[in-house]
Each structure stands twice: as structure tokens, then as C-alpha cells.
Amino acid sequence: MDGASSVVLQALTQATSQDTAVLKPAEEQLRQWETQPGFYSVLLNIFNNHMLDVNVRWLAVLYFKNGIDRYWRRVAPHALSEEEKTSLRAGLITNFNEPVNQIATQIAVLIAKVARLDCPRQWPELIPILLESVKGQDGLQQHRALLTFYHVTKTLASKRLAQDRRLFQDLASGIYSFACSLWSHHTDCFLQQIYARDEAGALSSLERTLLSLKGSNILLNYLTLSSSLSFQGFLNAVFERLKQFLECCEYLSLSWISDPRLLPSLLDFLEYHPCAFIPLIQRSLEFAVSYLFTPAGEGVTFERFIVQCMNLIKIIVKNDAYKPSKNLDDSKPESLEAHKIKTAFFTHPTLTEIGRRLVSHYFLLTEEELAMWEEDPESFGNGTSPDTQPCTEVLFLDIFHNYNQTLIPVLLDMVQNLQGPTNVEDSVQLRMKDAVYNAVGLAAYELFDNVDFDQWFKNQLLGELQVGHHRYKLIRRRVIWLIGQWISVKFKSDLRPLLYEVILSLMQDPDLVVRQLKTPSCFCKLLIFRTEQFLPYLESIFGLLFQLLQQVTECDTKMQVLHVISCVIERVNIQIRPYVGCLVQYLPLLWKQSEEHNMLRCAILTTLIHLVQGLGAESKNLYPFLLPVIQLSTDVSQPPHVYLLEDGLELWLVTLENSPAITPELLRIFQNMSALLELSSENLRTCFQIVNAYLYLSATDFLQNYAESLCRAFCNLLKDITNEGQVQVLKVVEIALKVSPILGAHMFQPLLPHVFRGIVDGERYPVVMSTYLGIMGRILLQNSSFFSSLLTQMASECSQKMDQLLGSVIEMWVDRMDNITQPERRKLSSLALLSLLPSDNSVIQDKFCGIINISVEALHDVMTEDSETGTFKDCMLMSHFEEPKLSDDEEPPTEQDKRKKLLALEDPVHSVSLQQFVYEKLKAQQAMMGDQGFGVLMETVDTELVRQLQEFLQGL
């Protein structure tokens, strides 16, 4: 063992070297030793030897930890022997005296990993030894044992098998009381050392307090509540300890202590056991409200504690378990009890004070925040707002929603007290108005029936937007945000032009706009418009936004500006074309500058998506910039694809949809698709849409270049794909056949036997079967010679006669016609089977009744009766292409939409009258068989079907 230790130690030492010539051979040697017996025992000796170099010991721990994942399980290849594992388990808990914090944490984690696999069955002594060690007097040993105890309980609690959870529940019940007493003891020590001004000792005790609390908290959530009431004692003790902690911190001004972390115990317990928490609702609310909304909490500066108190109130207010049913007789007794406690606590005076304090204290910007805005308006708001702000707003909304009858008059009174212009020299009043307007914006939906916003806008808010004083920009910023909140709730469209005039004047102040753009969704709401109302302002507003995009320097702010620009382009669509020249010239420069900022590049991709949609066919002028961007974003061999792929695929798709014609460069990008299909990611649907877009754009060029590789990828996909994914693959084949029946069938020939077998075998999934029949219908109707060769091939493979196999196909087609729900496919099936007529083939004549049945069903689907003439016509027929008349809210057709319409004019489904086709085929069959033979054939059809058929064919 000594000899082995020396060579392993030497290898570990070399593996810490910065010289790759030394490092790489050492790593390779260690990798080879991983499976050697005794290697992990050597590692254990090395990291337990405190005299060795810290980096070497650290590496030994990591190798040991990785070995647990790979070789500890009995079924693992090269698994450790049971004898070595027994020795290692004993060595890991011999002593808890690791002096280096980082190594101690790693050792605790690896012990927890072993415990997850072996405790309690193969390692029953672990928990007793840990509990004994935490009782020791040595501070280091106590801390390390507590650290290990926490990681072990956390890991055991994460096991999901029912048997493992029962074992942990038994363990929790057995040691919970001890864990609570441990926490109480360390808390006492901490408080004593605080009063004694022993800062070092208090910090050490605080660490042990938090570790014991975390462990207790984990056990608490798995406790069998019916077997023990000690949890209530523990949670009540949490309140007492918190009070003591806060009082001594305030009294002694202990600014060096971080936020207390006791409340998570209450929050976790409330989440896991809401009904068991009911006896604590009253005290919890009293405690939280006291520190948040009364003078008792004025000295509290711990932001995390404030947030936790707010969360405690919010969860109690919102908890469904504490709300009775609308019919009280259906309510659970626990819900009624909890509701009674809440109702008794949230009296009118209490709610009034909470509402006023939330707005006037917690919503209030501080002088420091205003100063930050003055110094750097672009940075202000980028993660610099207090942690309490979002939590305060959520609490306000929850309380306001649940107690709006009480709080609406309170808020309206605060608004009334602030009517009229505010003195720009009065900072307090300016900040108060900002806070109140914030509350009115957040509660817009609740205030719908109580505020005449249109009148308020005209009589008050409009005037405030026109106050030009520098200090009043706080209110101008808040008012424009407030309008954004209300504009989709209650704002007359007639007032919008007036609003756009104001926005134009406000956009002359870049600082104000930058601050407003911190909530881009709100700014976009302001631009929800009727196009004709906004068009007079489009050039000016778009130009100012573009100037702002150039002026701002922070990546986050550029992203927000791009977001708003995208909203404008998306809304006005083709109307943007005269004004995008400067943006089109600037985006390549911005893309180059953002090489290290992938999130900004995502924003650029989104802008390009809307830009291409707005430009339509004119987007071809962007190809020198656009196509390399798509190439990079969708190349999975390039690291940025992790961030850019989703938006890059969307941009690729809209580029194809709006392309007037294929180009060699656009065709070349498809080389990226093979790797994308292999990923089988959540973007697969978009990939299929891109393939379809290429087919519509230029099927011949596309299939000749990529059909072989695409068909190979599809064959691999079909081996392991969901039914929905299978439908997406098959739709590509169907579109290829629709666009180019001859070439499509030839290029996707390797896939067609799979489709044929699916039909014959009676595919059970209806949507898949429907797609199979759609594909086969195209081949049978538009490429009958290929269908014959396919039938010959399948007959040979199935060792059946061709006629017999054809009969099976027709029989299954008739039987599964109900799987086809789309009228187009139903008509296609009818046309396809009718195309087999006239025929003297006995099998086809034997299935004649089924073919007529399908035809009559399809006639019912597609024929509409002219009320004036009483005759029928095929509603799917299209004779010419018309540009649709669009309303302001409708998007113009893309180039792909136009291609689809032109293709439909040539599609038998839209160019052949089913009524006429049925008539001609029956006439041809009659001519072949003679009147007598045809009469006998028609007798095989149900008389009611014959009557309906005759009705459809009247007049022909």
C-alpha cells in the first residue's frame, strides 16, 4: 500500500501541474488506475493526510467522488469489491477534522453519495456516528459532522422510491427531536457570543446554527405529523429565536451579520403541510405584519428577511387549502377554520394600514435610487432594483385581489390626495406620486369599474406628461408606464393619436426612454394601434427608436430597443418598408460588434424575423447579410448555436417563406439540416417546416440536391420517433408528391414500402393512417405506373399475388376512411380509388361497392347545393388565382402562400370536379361491361347509396 500511495501521490501531483506535457500523461495514468483494486483506498489515505499539498488532496477527493458515480454500484462494470467498500465506508467516518473548508464540503458530498446507495442497509452505523460526533466539544469536529449530517439528510431525502421514502420517514421521526435540540443549543451559543461581542465565535456558531437548522428543516418536511407534535414546538421556537436575533442585532448594530435564515423553515413547512400549519397562521401573520407594517420593524434592514415575511403573508393569503368552497357545505373543516382565522386577522384597519404602507413605504423610490438614475440612467434598472421590489408588487396584487372591497377606496383616496401638479422641489411628494401611480397601474384590472381612465388621462395625466422640468421626469416616466398598463384595459382608441403626439415629444429625452424601456412589454402596449391611426407617426417614432439604438451602449438596453423596434415592424408589416433602410445598414455592424454577446444576437435575429416578414419578397436584398447569419445560427458545430438555434431556424423559415425564388446560396444552407435532424430536438417541427418551404420554393432543385440525404435521415428518424413526429416526416413526403408527383415518388422511394406496409397492416394511430392514405392517394392518382411497380415490389416482399395485395389495400382504405378528417384528403382518396376504374379486374370489381361508398361520402363532404338552381357544385374547385382583400389587422400573403395557391390550381383535388369524375368513371365502367354487366355490379351497392349517388349526378 505504501508503494502504491507514493506512485498515486506522484501522479496526482503531476495532474495539478499547469504544464500540459506533465498534466496529460498523469491524467491518463490516473484514468487507467480507476478500475484497479485498492485505488480508492489509496485516494482515501491521501486526502485524509493533512500534511500533503491542498491541491493534491483536493484532486484526490474529486477522483474518489467521481469513482462513486462510476464504480460503487454492484452492477457497474469494474465495480468495487464489497470488502474494499466496507473498508472505505469505515475510513470516511473515522474522524471529522478536515481543516480546509472546500475539501470538507467535498468529503461531506461524497459521503452523502455513498449514503444514497448504501444507507441504512449496508451502512447502518453512519447516522449514529454522525449524531455522536455533533455532540463533541471540539468546534471543528462539530462543524464538519454537522456539514456531513446536512448533506446526508439532503441526499437521502431526494430519493424517490416509495420504500426509500418510508425508510427516510422512519429515520426523520427517530432523530428529529435531537436535531431540533441541536439547533436550539447552537442558537443559544450564538446569541451569547453576540452579547459578549465575540465576533469570531458568533460567526462560527452561526454557521453551526444554520447547518443544524437546514438539517432540521429537511427532516421536518418528511415527518409523520400524526406521530409527533414536536414540529409545532420547533416552529414556535423559530418565532422566538427570530425576535431575539432581530432585537440583539438592532440593539448592538451588528451590521456584519448576514440576513437571518429562519423563516424558510416556516415557508417550507407551509408548502408541504398547509393543514398542519393552521394553528400557526395567527402567529405567523402577527409576526410578519408586525415587522413589515408597524413601528416594530422600522429598524430591520435585512432585505431577505423582509422578502420572506412578505412571502409568508402571500402564501397564507393565496393558499387554496385556506379558502372555503363557493358552497360552504362542500368545504373542508380545515379550510373553514383557516378562513375564519384569516378573516379575524385581516380587519378593515389592518388591511388599510397594510395597503397604505405597501404603497407609501415599499413602493417608494429612495433618494439613493434617484441619484443612481441621474448618474447612469442606462445602468439603472439592469438588476439594480432592490430584491424587495418585485416581491412587494406581488404581495400588493395578491392582497388587493383578495380584499379589493376594502383596499380600492384606500388606493383611490391616495390618488385623490395627489391630484394636480406636484411641486418639483418637493422630492417626497414626487416619489409618493410615483409610488401611488405604480399601485394604480398594477391594479388596473381590479380598478376597471372604479376609475374613468379616459377622463383621468385628459384632465390630469396628459398635463403631467407635458411638465418639462428635469426633476419631473420621474413622474413622466411613471405616467407613460401607467398608460401602458391601462391601455389594454380601458383606453378609447380616439385618444391614441393624442398619446402618439406625447410619445414623440417624450422620445426627445433619451434618458427617459431608456428608463421606460426597462419594461419593453409596457412600451410595446403603447404601440398597440390601428394602423391608420399610427401611420402618420411611424416615420418619426421609428427614426427616434433607431437613433436610440445607436446611442445606447449597454447590451441589455440595445436588446430592449430592438424588442420595441420588432414590435413596431410586426404591427405595421409592409408599411415599414420605406423606413428600414438605415436599420438594414446598421444591423450587420451591430451583429459584428455583438460577437461576444449571444443574447443580443438573439434579439437581432428576432428583429430580422419581423424585418423579413415586413419586407416580403424585397428581403432578397438582405441575403448578403441574412444568409451568413442563418448559416452560423443553425450550424451545430459552432458554439453559438446553443443560444441562436431556435431563433435562427425561425429566421431561416420566414426567409424561405418570403423568398421570390431559390438562389444557390439559399440552397447551400440546407447542408446544416442533416445534423439538425440527427439532434431530434424540440426544434424538429420547425426543421420539417423548413424542408416543406424548400419543396414549395423549388422542388426540382431541392430534391435533386438533397433528397438522398433527407430520405436517409427520415428512415433513421422513423425507427425511433413518436406518432406525432412520424406524421411530420410523412407530411414532407406528401408535400413532395403534391409538388412534384413523378420526382417526389422517385426520390422518396425508400420510404414508400414503410407506408404501404402501414396501410396493409392497418396502422392503429388514426392521424398516421390518414397520412399514409394521403401519400398513397397521390401516387395512385398522379403516378399510376409508379404505384404498379410499388405494388409489384411489395407483392414480392410479402409473397402474395398482386391482385390479392391490391384487394387488401382497397379493403383497408375503405375500412379506415373515417380516420381521414380533412375534406381535401377525403376527396383525394375518392379520386384515387375511382382512378382504378374502368377495370375488368375481378378484385377491383369485387371492391366496387366500397369504392362507391367512399365516393358518396366524399361527395357529401365537398358538394354544395345552389339554392336557386337546386344543382350541386364541388366547393373545392379553384379556377383562377385572386389576390385576397385584406383588412388592417390581416397580414398580407407571403410568397409561399402565393406558391401554394398556384400549386392548388394544378392539384386534382382543386382542379377536378368530383361529381364529373364519378360520372365519367361509372360511364366508362358501364361501357366496358355493357348495361347488363354494369347493372349486376351496381346491385352490389346498397340501394340508399345508389339513391344518394343518383341525386348528386342529376343533370350530368
Side-chain angles (χ1 to χ4, degrees):
M1 181 65 76
D2 290 341
S5 294
S6 62
V7 294
V8 172
L9 180 59
Q10 182 182 4
L12 287 169
T13 304
Q14 292 171 344
T16 62
S17 171
Q18 300 298 312
D19 184 353
T20 55
V22 177
L23 171 68
K24 292 298 181 183
E27 286 181 336
E28 177 59 26
Q29 181 63 74
L30 289 166
R31 189 186 66 78
Q32 292 177 8
W33 285 338
E34 282 180 358
T35 58
Q36 297 300 311
F39 176 64
Y40 294 95
S41 298
V42 172
L43 290 178
L44 176 66
N45 291 336
I46 289 173
F47 69 68
N48 274 339
N49 186 344
H50 303 163
M51 304 297 292
L52 297 175
D53 179 72
V54 170
N55 293 324
V56 172
R57 296 175 57 230
W58 168 266
L59 198 58
V61 174
L62 293 184
Y63 269 96
F64 194 108
K65 190 172 69 170
N66 293 336
I68 295 170
D69 295 329
R70 295 172 186 166
Y71 309 115
W72 198 274
R73 296 178 187 273
R74 282 179 293 178
V75 295
H78 309 292
L80 276 71
S81 67
E82 290 302 318
E83 294 76 15
E84 185 172 5
K85 287 198 289 186
T86 301
S87 172
L88 292 172
R89 284 193 294 261
L92 286 170
I93 54 176
T94 301
N95 54 63
F96 298 95
N97 58 355
E98 172 54 54
V100 180
N101 286 332
Q102 293 89 335
I103 295 178
T105 301
Q106 290 300 320
I107 292 174
V109 169
L110 71 84
I111 289 174
K113 282 179 173 286
V114 175
R116 182 180 179 87
L117 299 171
D118 290 358
C119 185
R121 293 181 182 85
Q122 286 82 32
W123 207 2
E125 66 273 19
L126 173 62
I127 299 298
I129 288 176
L130 286 174
L131 296 180
E132 190 62 35
S133 299
V134 298
K135 297 177 185 177
Q137 299 302 309
D138 182 85
L140 179 64
Q141 178 181 337
Q142 201 175 64
H143 179 275
R144 299 315 191 219
L146 274 171
L147 180 67
T148 306
F149 176 73
Y150 162 65
H151 281 285
V152 167
T153 52
K154 179 182 176 183
T155 302
L156 293 179
S158 69
K159 298 177 80 171
R160 288 290 170 260
L161 293 178
Q163 186 177 7
D164 292 328
R165 292 174 75 84
R166 282 195 298 272
L167 285 171
F168 186 73
Q169 201 169 58
D170 293 340
L171 172 67
S173 299
I175 64 175
Y176 175 70
S177 296
F178 172 76
C180 288
S181 65
L182 200 63
W183 166 73
S184 182
H185 166 72
H186 288 304
T187 305
D188 285 337
C189 293
F190 166 67
L191 292 170
Q192 290 167 10
Q193 286 159 335
I194 282 183
Y195 282 114
R197 303 278 185 164
D198 179 2
E199 184 173 326
L203 276 173
S204 179
S205 292
L206 181 60
E207 285 187 37
R208 290 194 288 274
T209 300
L210 293 175
L211 283 171
S212 54
L213 177 64
K214 286 179 181 178
S216 302
N217 202 25
I218 292 168
L219 297 172
L220 174 67
N221 294 326
Y222 283 83
L223 206 60
T224 305
L225 301 181
S226 58
S227 65
S228 173
L229 292 177
S230 59
F231 70 92
Q232 287 192 10
F234 167 67
L235 294 177
N236 277 312
V238 167
F239 287 117
E240 294 301 324
R241 296 302 195 188
L242 263 172
K243 283 184 177 180
Q244 293 172 2
F245 179 92
L246 295 168
E247 286 169 3
C248 72
C249 288
E250 181 183 357
Y251 175 70
L252 298 172
S253 301
L254 299 178
S255 58
W256 50 269
I257 295 181
S258 62
D259 281 5
R261 303 177 192 176
L262 299 177
L263 273 180
S265 303
L266 294 167
L267 295 170
D268 288 350
F269 186 77
L270 177 53
E271 179 185 350
Y272 282 94
H273 309 294
C275 291
F277 193 85
I278 290 174
L280 296 165
I281 289 178
Q282 178 76 20
R283 187 166 188 183
S284 299
L285 290 172
E286 288 173 351
F287 178 87
V289 169
S290 171
Y291 278 102
L292 291 177
F293 304 114
T294 71
E298 286 179 358
V300 176
T301 58
F302 298 117
E303 275 194 358
R304 189 180 300 162
F305 171 71
I306 292 169
V307 168
Q308 289 166 357
C309 283
M310 289 182 175
N311 283 335
L312 188 60
I313 298 173
K314 179 192 73 175
I315 295 172
I316 291 173
V317 167
K318 283 185 66 175
N319 203 310
D320 289 336
Y322 299 161
K323 294 178 181 178
S325 303
K326 290 182 179 179
N327 183 359
L328 290 179
D329 294 336
D330 297 334
S331 302
K332 295 180 180 179
E334 297 90 347
S335 300
L336 292 173
E337 182 185 356
H339 181 68
K340 182 179 177 182
I341 296 170
K342 289 199 299 179
T343 303
F345 179 82
F346 286 114
T347 61
H348 189 281
T350 301
L351 286 170
T352 301
E353 184 60 24
I354 289 173
R356 287 189 178 276
R357 289 273 294 180
L358 275 172
V359 176
S360 63
H361 180 70
Y362 291 102
F363 279 14
L364 212 61
L365 285 173
T366 65
E367 293 287 357
E368 291 78 9
E369 288 169 328
L370 288 178
M372 286 172 60
W373 187 10
E374 292 290 340
E375 292 169 10
D376 190 355
E378 198 173 333
S379 293
F380 183 69
N382 287 346
T384 58
S385 58
D387 292 339
T388 54
Q389 183 178 325
C391 188
T392 302
E393 292 177 354
V394 171
L395 176 61
F396 170 80
L397 283 172
D398 288 333
I399 290 186
F400 205 92
H401 176 72
N402 283 276
Y403 301 101
N404 53 25
Q405 296 298 313
T406 301
L407 291 175
I408 285 175
V410 174
L411 184 54
L412 293 180
D413 182 58
M414 297 179 80
V415 173
Q416 189 62 41
N417 291 337
L418 292 167
Q419 287 303 294
T422 301
N423 185 352
V424 295
E425 303 297 331
D426 190 342
S427 172
V428 174
Q429 279 297 92
L430 286 174
R431 289 185 293 124
M432 182 60 72
K433 179 172 279 191
D434 173 75
V436 172
Y437 283 5
N438 186 13
V440 175
L442 291 171
Y445 286 97
E446 302 290 341
L447 294 170
F448 180 86
D449 294 322
N450 304 91
V451 173
D452 186 342
F453 193 80
D454 295 332
Q455 287 299 317
W456 194 28
F457 171 74
K458 289 187 289 186
N459 299 337
Q460 169 79 18
L461 301 179
L462 190 57
E464 299 207 89
L465 287 173
Q466 294 166 343
V467 176
H469 196 282
H470 177 70
R471 291 184 181 175
Y472 216 75
K473 69 178 180 181
L474 173 67
I475 302 304
R476 294 198 300 272
R477 188 260 328 205
R478 180 58 69 188
V479 169
I480 203 71
W481 172 87
L482 173 63
I483 296 168
Q485 293 294 106
W486 274 85
I487 203 162
S488 57
V489 178
K490 190 190 243 185
F491 193 79
K492 285 183 179 176
S493 61
D494 296 346
L495 295 173
R496 290 182 186 273
L498 189 57
L499 175 61
Y500 301 145
E501 295 280 0
V502 174
I503 291 175
L504 264 177
S505 64
L506 291 175
M507 287 182 73
Q508 308 300 324
D509 180 357
D511 287 357
L512 181 65
V513 180
V514 165
R515 184 66 189 96
Q516 192 61 46
L517 286 169
K518 299 308 175 185
T519 51
S521 59
C522 177
F523 201 92
C524 289
K525 285 180 185 177
L526 294 170
L527 302 176
I528 295 173
F529 44 72
R530 292 176 180 170
T531 307
E532 75 275 6
Q533 284 184 315
F534 185 73
L535 284 179
Y537 309 95
L538 174 58
E539 182 177 5
S540 300
I541 288 180
F542 193 81
L544 287 167
L545 284 169
F546 175 64
Q547 287 179 24
L548 188 64
L549 180 63
Q550 292 176 295
Q551 290 168 3
V552 296
T553 57
E554 287 206 359
C555 179
D556 182 68
T557 313
K558 282 188 180 290
M559 288 169 57
Q560 310 294 12
V561 179
L562 282 170
H563 179 80
V564 177
I565 287 175
S566 296
C567 287
V568 174
I569 297 173
E570 181 182 22
R571 197 70 181 88
V572 301
N573 206 283
I574 61 174
Q575 307 281 359
I576 199 66
R577 292 177 183 177
Y579 313 115
V580 295
C582 293
L583 179 65
V584 167
Q585 291 176 12
Y586 176 67
L587 285 178
L589 174 63
L590 184 59
W591 179 265
K592 187 175 181 180
Q593 292 173 343
S594 61
E595 190 171 355
E596 301 300 321
H597 303 282
N598 286 311
M599 298 312 294
L600 177 54
R601 284 194 160 185
C602 287
I604 296 172
L605 287 172
T606 303
T607 304
L608 284 171
I609 289 168
H610 296 301
L611 196 54
V612 169
Q613 290 170 328
L615 291 173
E618 293 180 19
S619 61
K620 67 181 185 297
N621 299 323
L622 297 180
Y623 284 3
F625 166 55
L626 198 61
L627 300 188
V629 166
I630 296 172
Q631 167 70 39
L632 173 69
S633 304
T634 59
D635 185 350
V636 297
S637 68
Q638 298 292 330
H641 90 273
V642 175
Y643 303 94
L644 308 180
L645 180 59
E646 185 174 351
D647 293 317
L649 287 171
E650 188 66 28
L651 178 59
W652 191 357
L653 178 60
V654 299
T655 300
L656 290 166
E657 289 174 340
N658 289 279
S659 176
I662 196 71
T663 68
E665 295 78 16
L666 193 54
L667 195 60
R668 197 176 302 124
I669 298 175
F670 196 80
Q671 293 172 0
N672 284 359
M673 185 58 71
S674 179
L676 290 166
L677 292 174
E678 288 178 10
L679 283 178
S680 299
S681 67
E682 65 275 5
N683 297 309
L684 206 52
R685 182 184 293 273
T686 310
C687 291
F688 289 135
Q689 290 174 322
I690 289 169
V691 175
N692 294 339
Y694 272 107
L695 287 168
Y696 285 120
L697 182 58
S698 181
T700 302
D701 291 331
F702 176 66
L703 290 173
Q704 286 176 347
N705 281 276
Y706 295 109
E708 185 179 345
S709 61
L710 195 60
C711 194
R712 192 163 50 246
F714 283 178
C715 287
N716 290 330
L717 277 172
L718 289 172
K719 294 175 184 175
D720 183 24
I721 198 170
T722 63
N723 286 324
E724 186 180 356
Q726 189 174 352
V727 169
Q728 296 301 319
V729 172
L730 295 170
K731 278 184 178 178
V732 173
V733 180
E734 189 177 18
I735 290 170
L737 293 167
K738 182 178 181 180
V739 174
S740 181
I742 306 298
L743 185 59
H746 175 70
M747 292 299 186
F748 285 107
Q749 194 278 333
L751 282 171
L752 297 178
H754 170 84
V755 174
F756 199 102
R757 280 190 292 270
I759 295 173
V760 174
D761 295 342
E763 164 65 44
R764 291 190 300 172
Y765 190 58
V767 182
V768 175
M769 187 61 164
S770 172
T771 314
Y772 284 161
L773 295 174
I775 291 171
M776 204 53 61
R778 288 281 168 196
I779 296 172
L780 179 56
L781 179 63
Q782 294 179 271
N783 196 351
S784 56
S785 61
F786 187 89
F787 179 82
S788 297
S789 63
L790 179 63
L791 186 64
T792 303
Q793 176 190 342
M794 296 309 299
S796 174
E797 288 183 13
C798 300
S799 301
Q800 290 187 34
K801 293 181 179 180
M802 283 178 57
D803 286 350
Q804 181 185 357
L805 191 57
L806 177 60
S808 298
V809 170
I810 297 173
E811 186 174 339
M812 188 59 69
W813 207 321
V814 173
D815 184 58
R816 302 299 289 275
M817 184 67 175
D818 287 343
N819 288 169
I820 306 175
T821 56
Q822 302 95 324
E824 292 85 354
R825 274 198 191 146
R826 292 175 69 82
K827 180 178 177 180
L828 175 65
S829 287
S830 177
L831 292 171
L833 290 176
L834 283 166
S835 71
L836 294 169
L837 303 178
S839 175
D840 57 1
N841 186 309
S842 60
V843 171
I844 294 176
Q845 291 183 6
D846 187 49
K847 306 300 180 185
F848 180 79
C849 175
I851 295 173
I852 297 301
N853 187 17
I854 281 182
S855 300
V856 172
E857 284 188 27
L859 285 166
H860 278 291
D861 293 329
V862 305
M863 301 302 288
T864 56
E865 185 176 7
D866 189 319
S867 57
E868 294 182 2
T869 63
T871 58
F872 289 94
K873 61 178 180 180
D874 191 329
C875 65
M876 288 191 178
L877 290 179
M878 296 172 60
S879 57
H880 61 282
F881 176 69
E882 291 183 359
E883 286 282 356
K885 294 180 180 179
L886 303 173
S887 68
D888 289 337
D889 295 328
E890 289 182 306
E891 293 183 1
T894 64
E895 294 299 304
Q896 180 164 301
D897 292 331
K898 297 174 185 176
R899 287 190 282 270
K900 286 182 177 180
K901 287 283 180 67
L902 291 172
L903 179 64
L905 293 175
E906 302 174 2
D907 186 349
V909 173
H910 297 291
S911 62
V912 175
S913 166
L914 180 60
Q915 179 190 36
Q916 187 70 34
F917 196 70
V918 172
Y919 177 77
E920 291 174 357
K921 288 295 181 180
L922 291 180
K923 275 293 183 185
Q925 188 69 34
Q926 184 179 21
M928 174 183 284
M929 298 182 68
D931 292 346
Q932 184 177 357
F934 184 70
V936 173
L937 189 62
M938 287 298 295
E939 287 177 1
T940 63
V941 183
D942 182 78
T943 54
E944 176 58 24
L945 277 179
V946 172
R947 186 193 65 77
Q948 294 176 23
L949 181 63
Q950 290 170 341
E951 188 176 331
F952 280 120
L953 301 183
Q954 267 182 350
L956 295 178

